[in-house]
Amino acid sequence: MNPLGVLVVGAPRGAAAEVEALLSALPRSLTVPVALVLHRGARDLLAGPLGRRCPLPVVEPDDKER
């Protein structure tokens, strides 16, 4: 049994490359959700670029989305 309920990753804006490297190393078989909190600008793209490298689905939720 996996003791984790969720994997949370937080990083400053300048660590986007490191976050991308971390997410690309996650196994496709990971059974817990990953929550990423990354400081960024209002126009910075996130889900698309990360989704191309991460083996897991990457989505950017809208306000109040489940």
Side-chain angles (χ1 to χ4, degrees), residues 43-59:
R43 295 190 176 138
D44 289 347
L45 298 176
L46 183 63
L50 290 179
R52 287 190 282 278
R53 300 253 325 184
C54 184
L56 303 169
V58 176
V59 296

Side-chain angles (χ1 to χ4, degrees), residues 59-66:
V59 296
E60 188 169 3
D62 289 325
D63 185 35
K64 297 181 182 54
E65 184 176 328
R66 290 181 160 214

Side-chain angles (χ1 to χ4, degrees), residues 15-36:
E18 290 81 359
V19 168
E20 185 175 334
L22 171 73
L23 294 181
S24 69
L26 293 175
R28 182 176 295 277
S29 61
L30 189 67
T31 60
V32 297
V34 178
L36 171 62

